[in-house]
Amino acid sequence: MASSSSSSLSRVVVKSSDNNLFVVNKKVASQSQLLKQCIDNMEEKGTNDVILIPLSNVTSNILTLVLEYCEKHADFADDDNNNQELKQWDHEFLKKFDYATLNSLTMAADYMVTKSLLNLCCQFIADSIKDLTVQQIRQIFDIKNDFTPQEEADIKNENAWAFR
Amino acid sequence: MSTTNKRNLCSTMRADKFSNLPPEITVRILENLPLADAVRTSTLSRYWRTKWVHISQLILDHHFFISIVENSSTTNIIEELTNAVNSIFSRLVGPIRKFELYIFSWLEGAELDRWVKFVSGKGVKEFTLIDCRQPGKTLPPSLFSCVGLTQLTLVNCSLHSLPLSFQGFPCLVNFEFLVNRQGSHAEEPVLEDFVSMHCPQLNRLRLIGGWCFGITIHAPKLEDLVLVGVSPYIIFEGVTKIKRLELYLPWVLRMQEIFSSLTFMEKLTLSDLFWMLNGHCEVRPPATLANELVQLAHLELIRLPLNCPFAVSAVLCLFQSSPRLTHLSIRASSCRSCSDKPHKMVEECTFPSIKTVKLSWISGLTTELQFIKFLLATTPMLEVMTIEINEDAKPELLSFVEELKQFPCGCASKNAKILLNLITNKDIVDCQ
C-alpha cells in the first residue's frame, strides 16, 4: 500500500470552518480530490509534521457527514461502485437528511471534489422532485411565482410538448 | 423515492435554498431529471426560466417519445415528435456532452441525420443510438463526423458500410455494439475495419449479440473486452494488451489458441456458455496452456458445472497456467448430462498464489465436496474461503464444512479462515 511505504504519517487533520479538528485516515481523506491534492502537495514538500488542512467553507456537522461517506466508500475498491450493498447504504445515508442539510452536503461535496457524493446528491434531489407538478415544486422549495399569467402561458406554449 | 419521503421533504424544506445552489449544480440536478421534468422547471419562476437550456446531456430515449405519443392530442404524431425535438434543439445553448437517441421506426433518414448533425456541431462526446427501425437501415452519415466522440454505443444498428470520407474517431476509447438479431456476414468486414482501422485509442470493447461470425481485431490499446454471443470467433492481430476479458460464449475448445496471445490478462471472467458445447464431454483440455497467463490475478467462473469432468479439467488447466492467480470466485452449477461421480484429480499439484476463494450456489454434490477439499489441500497461502450453500443442500456437505471450521486438518494453509453462509432458495431466485 502506498501509505505504508511512504515515511509520512498515515493520518491527517482536517479543520472545519467553525474550527473543529477531525483526525482522518489518509485513505479516507483521499476520497476527496481536494484533500488528496493538499496531502500530495504537502508530501511533495517532504514535511514530517502532521498535515493540517483547513476548510473554510464546510461546517463541522456537514464535514462529519462527508467524512462518514468517505469512510464507507474507502472500504470499497474503485471498481466496486456498482456494489449493491454500497448503493443501498448510499440511499439510506441520504434518506435521513432534511433538504437544508442535503443542500449543504451537495455544496460541500462540490467544494471538496468528492465526485461520487456530488453525483449521488444531485441524483437524489432530482429523484425527489421527479413527477411533481410545477405547483408542488414551488410549494416544497418556497419558490415565488413571479410570472404574469400571460408570461407563464407563453412559456408553456414554447415547449408545448412538455406540458401535456 | 417513496411518498413518505416526499412528504418529509415538504414539511422540512421551507427556505428557497434550491434557487441558491451554484448554477452548475442546479444544471446537474436538471440533467438527472427526465427531459420533460427539466423543461417544466422553466415555469417555476423567472430565475428558473432559462436554467434547463444549459443541460449538456440530452436523453431522447424510448420514454421520451412514448410520453409525447401518449399525451398527444393531434393525429399527426410524426410531426409532433419532430417538432418537439426541433423545439428542444432550438433552445439549448451550451455544448452537448452526452446524447442518446431512440430511432423510432417512422423517423425519416434526412430528419434523423439533421438531428445528429446538430449534436455533432455541439461537440458531442458520448453517443448512444438505439435503432428500432427495420434491420438494414443505414446509420445517419453525420454520425461519422462526430470526431470528438469518446464513447459510442450502437444498439440494434446495422453496420453495412462506412462513408468513404470517414477519417475515424481519433478519441474513441469505449465502443459497444449490441444486437438482438442474427448478425449478417456483410457486416463482419465493416466491423473489423471500424475497430481496427478507425479507432486508434480504443480501450474498451463490448460486442454483444447473436453473432455467428469471425473477425480479426487489431486494437493495440485495447484493455477491456467483453464478448457475449452465440459463436463469435475472434483473432487478435499484433500485440494485445488486454487486461480484463469477459467471455459469455462457447470457446473452450479453442482455449489454447485464444489465451496464448493474451498474456497481459489480469482478470478473466468465463460464463457457463464457455463450458457448454455439444459433445464436449469427450474432449480433454490440455493440462497446461502453451503460454502461461503470467499476470492473471482474478479468475471469475460463472455457473461452472463442477460435476462435469471436462469443465473441471479446463479449470485446472487455467489454475496450472496462472502462476499469479490470487482471487478465485466460482458460482457453481451442475451439468445435466454428467453424473456426480468423483473426478480423477491431478495429484501433487499446488497453487501457492491463491489467497481468497469464494464459492457460491453450492448445492451439495459429491463433486463439489471433492473440489472444495481439493482446493483446501492445494492452496498453502489461502487466507479466506467463503462458501455459500443452498439451505436444502445435502446434509453431508453441511457437516463437512462444520467439521472444517473446527479442525482445519485437510487445509494446506495453517491460517485459512473458512466462512460458511447458508442461502435460502428464495435468495437464489432473487439473484437470478
Side-chain angles (χ1 to χ4, degrees):
Chain A
M1 270 183 219
S3 56
S4 58
S5 65
S6 123
S7 63
S8 41
L9 299 161
S10 67
R11 298 208 266 182
V12 295
V13 177
V14 183
K15 191 166 90 174
S16 67
S17 61
D18 45 352
N19 294 325
N20 282 319
L21 300 179
F22 294 78
V23 179
V24 187
N25 196 312
K26 262 187 206 166
K27 195 182 164 197
V28 173
S30 299
Q31 295 287 311
S32 150
Q33 285 302 312
L34 177 76
L35 297 184
K36 186 173 187 298
Q37 197 63 51
C38 291
I39 296 168
D40 289 352
N41 287 349
M42 298 293 270
E43 282 183 347
E44 246 170 57
K45 287 183 197 155
T47 176
N48 278 328
D49 275 352
V50 174
I51 296 174
L52 175 73
I53 307 169
L55 296 177
S56 56
N57 280 352
V58 188
T59 58
S60 323
N61 55 347
I62 296 299
L63 186 56
T64 312
L65 300 178
V66 177
L67 293 176
E68 185 185 343
Y69 173 90
C70 292
E71 201 163 310
K72 182 71 186 181
H73 279 250
D75 288 344
F76 289 83
D78 293 339
D79 57 343
D80 261 6
N81 270 331
N82 283 323
N83 186 299
Q84 281 307 317
E85 184 198 328
L86 196 60
K87 275 190 175 168
Q88 183 67 30
W89 186 90
D90 285 348
H91 187 75
E92 297 293 322
F93 177 66
L94 289 191
K95 229 171 67 178
K96 296 180 293 208
F97 309 131
D98 61 23
Y99 189 72
T101 311
L102 204 54
N103 225 332
S104 311
L105 187 63
T106 311
M107 305 226 298
D110 184 43
Y111 171 68
M112 292 173 70
V113 202
T114 311
K115 217 176 143 194
S116 62
L117 179 59
L118 178 61
N119 286 342
L120 186 69
C121 290
C122 289
Q123 182 69 60
F124 193 85
I125 296 171
D127 287 348
S128 71
I129 59 176
K130 197 164 76 179
D131 303 329
L132 296 181
T133 64
V134 168
Q135 195 49 43
Q136 284 168 321
I137 298 176
R138 278 196 199 123
Q139 224 167 28
I140 292 172
F141 297 98
D142 238 11
I143 298 171
K144 197 171 169 298
N145 179 9
D146 48 7
F147 289 123
T148 65
Q150 185 56 45
E151 281 173 325
E152 196 175 335
D154 287 347
I155 300 169
K156 284 187 181 172
N157 254 335
E158 278 173 21
N159 305 296
W161 65 272
F163 291 94
R164 292 212 181 85
Chain B
M1 178 178 273
S2 71
T3 41
T4 43
N5 281 328
K6 276 186 184 156
R7 220 173 296 129
N8 282 341
L9 288 174
C10 295
S11 57
T12 49
M13 317 166 200
R14 273 296 157 195
D16 180 10
K17 288 261 182 154
F18 198 26
S19 306
N20 293 340
L21 282 169
E24 64 276 14
I25 293 185
T26 311
V27 171
R28 277 183 105 116
I29 294 172
L30 293 177
E31 285 173 348
N32 280 309
L33 283 171
L35 193 54
D37 289 80
V39 171
R40 280 199 288 269
T41 61
S42 60
T43 54
L44 283 171
S45 68
R46 284 178 201 280
Y47 173 85
W48 283 94
R49 171 153 190 189
T50 54
K51 280 283 166 286
W52 78 270
V53 302
H54 297 276
I55 55 172
S56 66
Q57 311 190 11
L58 192 54
I59 311 294
L60 306 180
D61 58 4
H62 184 248
H63 294 290
F64 168 79
F65 288 109
I66 289 295
S67 75
I68 293 179
V69 171
E70 277 181 349
N71 299 321
S72 171
S73 50
T74 67
T75 45
N76 196 341
I77 294 288
I78 302 177
E79 192 184 316
E80 191 155 353
L81 292 174
T82 47
N83 283 348
V85 175
N86 290 332
S87 136
I88 294 161
F89 282 169
S90 69
R91 292 196 165 73
L92 293 174
V93 293
I96 295 178
R97 185 178 48 81
K98 184 173 173 181
F99 181 58
E100 179 175 329
L101 179 64
Y102 174 86
I103 310 176
F104 53 91
S105 50
W106 337 283
L107 184 61
E108 269 192 51
E111 190 71 12
L112 167 65
D113 197 52
R114 225 173 50 74
W115 294 353
V116 175
K117 199 171 197 165
F118 174 82
V119 291
S120 170
K122 292 270 190 182
V124 64
K125 301 255 185 296
E126 297 170 26
F127 203 131
T128 300
L129 264 186
I130 302 154
D131 198 343
C132 118
R133 300 171 299 174
Q134 290 293 316
K137 295 268 186 186
T138 51
L139 286 169
S142 295
L143 174 66
F144 298 96
S145 63
C146 302
V147 286
L149 285 188
T150 56
Q151 164 162 1
L152 176 62
T153 301
L154 299 177
V155 181
N156 277 338
C157 294
S158 305
L159 201 56
H160 282 300
S161 64
L162 303 173
L164 285 173
S165 58
F166 181 42
Q167 298 285 311
F169 292 130
C171 317
L172 194 73
V173 289
N174 193 345
F175 177 52
E176 303 185 313
F177 193 70
L178 295 83
V179 283
N180 58 17
R181 58 181 162 79
Q182 195 72 23
S184 86
H185 284 287
E187 289 174 276
E188 292 162 18
V190 185
L191 189 62
E192 194 172 285
D193 183 37
F194 178 80
V195 170
S196 305
M197 305 304 289
H198 292 95
C199 310
Q201 298 297 325
L202 194 66
N203 179 269
R204 188 163 189 271
L205 175 64
R206 278 159 46 98
L207 295 177
I208 296 179
W211 293 98
C212 189
F213 64 172
I215 61 171
T216 303
I217 287 181
H218 174 74
K221 302 232 166 148
L222 193 64
E223 292 191 333
D224 275 274
L225 178 63
V226 179
L227 297 173
V228 182
V230 180
S231 184
Y233 176 85
I234 290 202
I235 298 166
F236 303 100
E237 202 178 72
V239 183
T240 65
K241 294 216 171 101
I242 294 173
K243 289 186 177 164
R244 288 163 292 271
L245 177 66
E246 291 181 37
L247 299 178
Y248 297 83
L249 37 89
W251 256 9
V252 72
L253 293 179
R254 301 183 59 243
M255 206 160 97
Q256 185 80 273
E257 205 178 321
I258 300 301
F259 293 146
S260 66
S261 61
L262 301 178
T263 46
F264 287 91
M265 197 155 54
E266 291 168 7
K267 183 169 181 189
L268 174 64
T269 303
L270 300 172
S271 81
D272 53 344
L273 276 172
F274 191 82
W275 327 106
M276 301 298 170
L277 203 61
N278 284 340
H280 64 52
C281 296
E282 292 90 55
V283 189
R284 193 96 194 139
T288 56
L289 297 173
N291 293 341
E292 283 193 333
L293 300 170
V294 284
Q295 304 288 344
L296 190 69
H298 295 260
L299 181 61
E300 186 182 12
L301 307 168
I302 300 172
R303 288 190 290 272
L304 172 69
L306 281 168
N307 64 332
C308 168
F310 170 77
V312 170
S313 334
V315 167
L316 290 183
C317 164
L318 285 175
F319 285 4
Q320 302 262 33
S321 311
S322 312
R324 291 206 186 145
L325 182 61
T326 318
H327 307 288
L328 174 66
S329 165
I330 295 177
R331 194 208 285 176
S333 111
S334 65
C335 167
R336 273 199 204 128
S337 54
C338 297
S339 67
D340 188 23
K341 274 193 306 213
H343 305 302
K344 246 180 88 183
M345 292 296 224
V346 200
E347 278 164 30
E348 294 188 12
C349 57
T350 164
F351 310 112
S353 54
I354 295 182
K355 288 188 178 157
T356 69
V357 176
K358 188 179 171 195
L359 297 150
S360 54
W361 293 31
I362 296 294
S363 62
L365 296 176
T366 314
T367 41
E368 289 171 347
L369 196 64
Q370 184 195 14
F371 193 77
I372 294 173
K373 279 184 179 172
F374 173 78
L375 277 179
L376 286 172
T378 52
T379 50
M381 299 309 283
L382 184 71
E383 288 167 6
V384 185
M385 177 184 277
T386 316
I387 307 174
E388 287 181 4
I389 301 180
N390 277 2
E391 215 168 43
D392 59 350
K394 292 182 181 171
E396 304 91 277
L397 183 82
L398 298 192
S399 56
F400 166 74
V401 179
E402 283 302 326
E403 196 183 309
L404 276 177
K405 280 164 77 180
Q406 284 155 20
F407 305 104
C409 50
C411 296
S413 164
K414 294 294 160 241
N415 302 313
K417 243 196 269 173
I418 298 168
L419 305 170
L420 169 68
N421 297 325
L422 281 181
I423 307 287
T424 62
N425 264 334
K426 195 178 150 284
D427 287 338
I428 287 174
V429 173
D430 286 345
C431 289
Q432 285 172 330

